[in-house]
Amino acid sequence: MLLLDNPVLQRELLINLRTLRSFALLLGYNALLGVVVILAWPQESRLNLSNNPESAKNLVNLFFLGQYLLVALMSPSFAAGAITGEKERHTYESLLASPLRPQAIVLGKLFASLAHLAVLLFSSLPIVMLCLPLGGVSLYEVLTVYLGLILSVTLFGMISIACSSFFQRTSSALVVSYLLILPLALFGVGVWNLFGNNGEARLIFTLTIFPLISLGLTAMLFAMTSQRLLHPPDVGSEGKEVIDEERELREAVGMVISRDRFPDSLIAPPKRSQLLPDHANPVYDKELRSEIFAQGTLMLRLVIQISLLLAFPLMAGVLFFVPELSAWYAAYVVLFNMLVGPVFNAGAITSERERETLELLLTTNLSSLQILGGKLFAGFRIAGALTALLFWPFLLAVIFRPYFWQNWQLVLAYPAIIILTCLTTASVALLASVICRKTATSLIVSYLAIVVLFCLPPALQFFAQSFYANTPLVDAVETLSIVSPFSTLFKLPYLATDLKYSLSGSYASFWLYVSFTSALIAGCWIALVMLFEFRWRSGE
């Protein structure tokens, strides 16, 4: 019953793989890979295959790394809601009361969640086979890489399933999954590039060390999740029960959040003990003081601890020892907000609809601006405070490092870009919440839009510079990069450590980014009010 006769696996496969979304995803995934291969195909009229052409090798490496990053981004979206979805659908207790063993439930959820990704990976084999005659990689390396992809997908899926067992909401499980998976994915990319010129060493690592690490972590997480389902501490919650914060603080291991202390009060303000003042926004007060923290502060504590743990080595190495690379730390802060920011706004309207309280909210005399503004700034305040926890080391570096005194423009540009990023992620997530009907769908749409907006321009820049160097396409892609905060950060000019020369760059790209992002946020607000009036106020 663990696998062959697993009813959980059979049900999930029948429901998920027959949907129109699965076929559309398969078509889009292979179309994307096919377009990348066509565009990156070597431009030389003749290739000397005996010399292992560099262009062919770059194409194959790009194909493999692209797939690796894509599955790393997609794994949590398929697996993070495996158990939280049962809680949100009120079927969690029925599942636990069934005669299925916890191991069968976890294994069924894992295989069902990863079935989509397995189909996507194997469907891309014909495309990579077209690249083999170009040279640069052997058939054995292709098979080894696909083994590494399968092991990576299994590990990423198991991480998401484990997170799903700890939380009551899919949004919380999703953001913690991303915070754990993305560093592992970037580490894998770094190891791949480290062995870039030594195919034999990369082959040995992928066949020996990597399987041991991946399978070991997967087995440990599988046992932990199965044990949690065997003795579930959250039976009866169904994703709805309000957690007693005083009890949570007493029983919490590690960091705790105290509402009556600074800076914790910026994230979780004290509960109101008096009546709401006149002319105050009740939506903002409700969201900030009760709604966001109705499920406790476990997600916030994990987000803070994981992000700071990852930030410490980067902070010490970049800000204090190699300050010319300070843009990398700012990029890390932007990436953090890109992952965390949408969580607090993607369910702003959809959660009201799921709780069947939206009609009650619309019968009040609050305007659309008051409702949307209250929800937006409540989420923005928490996401901004969490982001500020990572940015304060930069302020310390400004005080103690004279290098930044000479680069005072950077000291102003970095926080401006980060603040605009926070507003962008909050606005896009709220817009998705108005458009979509389910919180999980809204969150996935938010992440997709933000990834396209923030990460696609740098990826296009890398692609154009690698395969279309010295062509007009590079300049065209460079112009489009103003929409991404990552591209803008690395275009800012600064002095070298010895303060004798200035590296290339200009602040023109910064002002273009500020102008574009301001217009984007304004456009989101106009669309928010219009869609909210049309979709919800109209009585749909």
Side-chain angles (χ1 to χ4, degrees), residues 281 366-375 525 529 532-533 537:
N281 190 326
L366 295 173
S367 66
S368 298
L369 282 176
Q370 287 178 303
I371 296 174
L372 295 173
K375 288 183 174 293
W525 264 100
V529 176
F532 187 78
E533 291 285 347
R537 288 287 193 185

Side-chain angles (χ1 to χ4, degrees), residues 109-312:
K109 290 290 185 181
L110 177 63
F111 276 78
S113 301
L114 302 182
H116 284 285
L117 296 176
V119 172
L120 295 179
L121 287 177
F122 289 114
S123 67
S124 66
L125 269 173
I127 299 177
V128 74
M129 289 303 175
L130 293 175
C131 304
L132 286 182
L134 294 175
V137 66
S138 67
L139 177 61
Y140 299 106
E141 288 182 286
V142 171
L143 298 178
T144 303
V145 166
Y146 269 84
L147 174 63
L149 286 173
I150 294 172
L151 292 175
S152 299
V153 167
T154 304
L155 175 59
F156 296 159
M158 195 62 245
I159 290 174
S160 302
I161 296 282
C163 292
S164 185
S165 68
F166 276 90
F167 295 100
Q168 311 297 335
R169 293 178 178 174
T170 302
S171 58
S172 300
L174 192 63
V175 67
V176 175
S177 300
Y178 274 123
L179 285 175
L180 293 173
I181 289 173
L182 284 184
L184 294 177
L186 295 177
F187 176 76
V189 173
V191 172
W192 177 272
N193 291 328
L194 181 65
F195 296 120
N197 296 324
N198 192 338
E200 183 179 354
R202 186 163 59 187
L203 197 66
I204 295 174
F205 176 83
T206 309
L207 289 175
T208 56
I209 300 177
F210 180 72
L212 292 176
I213 297 175
S214 178
L215 293 176
L217 291 175
T218 302
M220 182 183 67
L221 292 172
F222 179 83
M224 181 184 67
T225 307
S226 301
Q227 183 66 23
R228 184 172 177 83
L229 293 186
L230 182 61
H231 303 286
D234 50 358
V235 170
S237 66
E238 296 181 336
K240 295 172 57 178
E241 182 181 350
V242 176
I243 292 177
D244 185 0
E245 289 190 17
E246 294 183 359
R247 179 182 177 184
E248 184 186 29
L249 291 178
R250 291 195 304 267
E251 299 178 355
V253 178
M255 188 191 75
V256 297
I257 295 179
S258 179
R259 286 177 175 263
D260 56 351
R261 296 179 182 178
F262 182 85
D264 296 10
S265 57
L266 295 177
I267 302 173
K271 293 183 178 180
R272 183 171 297 283
S273 58
Q274 300 177 352
L275 295 177
L276 191 69
D278 294 336
H279 307 296
N281 190 326
V283 176
Y284 173 80
D285 191 79
K286 176 184 78 76
E287 292 286 326
L288 193 62
R289 297 180 184 275
S290 59
E291 176 59 31
I292 294 178
F293 303 102
Q295 301 296 328
T297 61
L298 175 62
M299 188 268 285
L300 285 178
R301 290 187 281 114
L302 285 177
V303 165
I304 294 173
Q305 292 174 138
I306 294 172
S307 61
L308 289 178
L309 180 64
L310 296 174
F312 283 145

